[in-house]
Amino acid sequence: MPNIQDTAYPRLKSNITPKELAAIYTPTPDELAFAQQKTVSGSSTRLGFLVLLKTFQRLGYAVHTHDVPASIIRHIASVAHLSASGRDLAHYDASATRRRHLSWIRDYLHLYAYSASAKTVVEASIRQAAQTKQDLADLINVAIEELVRQRFELPAFSTLKRTAQQVRARVTDAFYQQVNQQLTADDLPRIDALFVIAADAPTTPWHDLKQDAGRATITQLQGWIERLHRLRPLQMGIAALTALPQVKVKHFAQEAMTLDATRMKQLEPSKRYTLAVSLLRVQYARTLDDLAELFIKQMQQMHHKGRTALVEYRVQTQPRTDELIA
C-alpha cells in the first residue's frame, strides 16, 4: 500500500528555507487587497484567511492552521503586519466564517470544489490508467494530474487511495473474466491438474513449473528443448492473453509465482485460471527467448571457429602458395 510520500500528492514541508517562504508564501498586493475586502479588521480572521489562501494556492486543497508549519504563519503575519495567537487561529478553523472564506478562495483561484463530477473524473482517469498500470501510486498520480488539469480541488489522500483500490479491483476482475471466457471446457481440468500431485511424482506440476530453469548454456540445450516441449501443450487462452496489455500479463505471472498449489486452489476460479495461464505463457516465452539466445551463441561460436580455422589454413598453405607463384 502506498504512503502519501510515495505519490505526487502535495504536502507542506516541515523545513522551509527563507527563499522558499519568500517565493511561495508571500501574499501579493492583490491578495492582501482581496483579504482586506473579504474580512473584517480582526487580525486573527484576516491572518487565518491569508494562511488558508496561500496554503490552498500551494496544495490545491484546504488545510487547518494547526497543520501549517509555524514558520509559514509567522512569515505571512509579518508581511501582512498581523498577529494572532494559536487559540485565535484554532477558533477560526472551527468557525463558519472559514467555510465561507473557503468558497471565496476557490472562486478567486478558479477552482471547483471536489464533488460528484470530480469523483467521476478520478474514476475515469484511474480506470484508463489501470489498463496498463498496476502500482497504486501510479494510479493515484494519474488521478491527481487529471484533477489539477481540470482545476478541481484535491480530496483527502485516503479518498484517492480508496478509489484507486476499488477501480483497480474492478478492472482486474474484468481481465479475469475476459481470460476465463476464452478458455474451453477442456482447458479447465488441464489447468486444475497442475495443482494435483500425481501418484508417481513427489511434487505438483505447478511446483515444477515455477522452478528456475537455471542459466541457459549450450551443454544444457537438450534440456531446454525438452522444457519447451512440455510447456507448448499448456499454452491455453492465448487469444485472451494477447488482448491483455503485456504489463498485466507479467504482473499476473509474478503474482502466480508467489502462490503454491494449495493457495492457487483456494482462489476464485476466474482469478486462478488467469494467473495460471499467464505464468504458463510467460514461462514459455522465456524458454523460447533462452533457446534463441543459445542458438545465437552457438552460431557465433561456429563463426568464430570458422574464422580461426581459415586463418590457420592460410598460414599453413602460405609456403605452398608462394612456391606455386614462384
Side-chain angles (χ1 to χ4, degrees):
M1 296 299 294
N3 296 319
I4 191 172
Q5 295 87 352
D6 302 324
T7 68
Y9 193 83
R11 296 170 295 125
L12 292 173
K13 294 172 59 176
S14 55
N15 297 321
I16 307 173
T17 65
K19 184 177 180 180
E20 289 173 327
L21 284 173
I24 301 170
Y25 297 105
T26 300
T28 65
D30 288 343
E31 290 167 349
L32 291 172
F34 177 58
Q36 185 175 2
Q37 176 188 353
K38 295 297 184 180
T39 60
V40 295
S41 57
S43 294
S44 62
T45 302
R46 186 164 298 171
L47 179 58
F49 181 92
L50 286 170
V51 171
L52 180 61
L53 171 62
K54 297 305 292 183
T55 53
F56 198 116
Q57 191 178 57
R58 176 64 173 173
L59 301 175
Y61 61 92
V63 294
H64 291 93
T65 55
H66 61 75
D67 294 323
V68 180
S71 58
I72 295 177
I73 297 177
R74 288 196 299 267
H75 175 75
I76 295 174
S78 175
V79 173
H81 305 293
L82 299 170
S83 63
S85 66
R87 179 179 298 179
D88 292 335
L89 292 176
H91 178 72
Y92 172 77
D93 284 339
S95 66
T97 301
R98 179 184 181 275
R99 292 190 289 272
R100 187 168 62 254
H101 288 174
L102 185 57
S103 177
W104 293 337
I105 288 173
R106 287 195 192 100
D107 293 339
Y108 182 78
L109 298 176
H110 305 292
L111 293 175
Y112 303 105
Y114 189 79
S115 59
S117 298
K119 183 179 180 182
T120 301
V121 169
V122 169
E123 291 178 347
S125 61
I126 293 177
R127 187 182 306 108
Q128 180 65 29
Q131 303 295 319
T132 56
K133 300 180 185 294
Q134 184 66 26
D135 190 71
L136 278 178
D138 292 336
L139 300 179
I140 292 171
N141 289 342
V142 168
I144 292 173
E145 182 178 356
E146 189 61 20
L147 286 172
V148 171
R149 189 183 72 82
Q150 299 197 29
R151 303 203 62 80
F152 279 109
E153 176 183 4
L154 296 182
F157 179 75
S158 59
T159 299
L160 290 175
K161 183 166 69 172
R162 182 173 59 254
T163 304
Q165 289 175 304
Q166 294 170 348
V167 174
R168 185 184 66 174
R170 291 196 294 268
V171 171
T172 302
D173 186 64
F175 285 141
Y176 294 157
Q177 299 301 327
Q178 179 179 336
V179 173
N180 199 45
Q181 290 170 5
Q182 294 287 335
L183 297 174
T184 66
D186 295 333
D187 293 334
L188 304 185
R190 293 170 63 197
I191 296 174
D192 289 332
L194 296 173
F195 313 120
V196 179
I197 300 177
D200 57 345
T203 59
T204 63
W206 182 253
H207 177 270
D208 298 336
L209 173 67
K210 296 195 303 174
Q211 298 310 301
D212 186 2
R215 183 181 178 184
T217 61
I218 294 177
T219 57
Q220 298 175 345
L221 180 60
Q222 187 59 39
W224 282 87
I225 294 175
E226 292 174 358
R227 177 180 174 85
L228 184 70
H229 289 331
R230 290 195 304 270
L231 290 171
R232 182 174 292 156
L234 297 173
Q235 298 307 296
M236 296 163 283
I238 301 302
L241 291 179
T242 303
L244 261 60
Q246 284 303 304
V247 65
K248 289 294 182 179
V249 176
K250 291 180 180 179
H251 170 76
F252 293 151
Q254 290 170 355
E255 184 175 353
M257 284 289 290
T258 66
L259 303 176
D260 58 22
T262 301
R263 293 180 64 188
M264 286 292 291
K265 289 190 289 187
Q266 294 171 350
L267 295 177
E268 189 270 332
S270 62
K271 180 176 182 178
R272 176 170 68 250
Y273 296 136
T274 301
L275 297 188
V277 297
S278 296
L279 182 59
L280 288 168
R281 183 61 177 170
V282 167
Q283 293 292 65
Y284 182 71
R286 286 176 179 170
T287 304
L288 276 176
D289 290 343
D290 290 335
L291 278 171
E293 185 177 349
L294 280 176
F295 176 75
I296 292 171
K297 287 181 178 178
Q298 192 166 20
M299 294 302 296
Q300 288 175 338
Q301 287 186 9
M302 291 174 61
H303 282 290
H304 177 70
K305 289 179 180 179
R307 285 193 297 268
T308 302
L310 177 61
V311 171
E312 292 176 353
Y313 173 78
R314 285 174 174 171
V315 170
Q316 293 170 1
T317 59
Q318 187 66 42
R320 186 182 177 188
T321 302
D322 293 343
E323 182 180 350
L324 290 172
I325 293 175

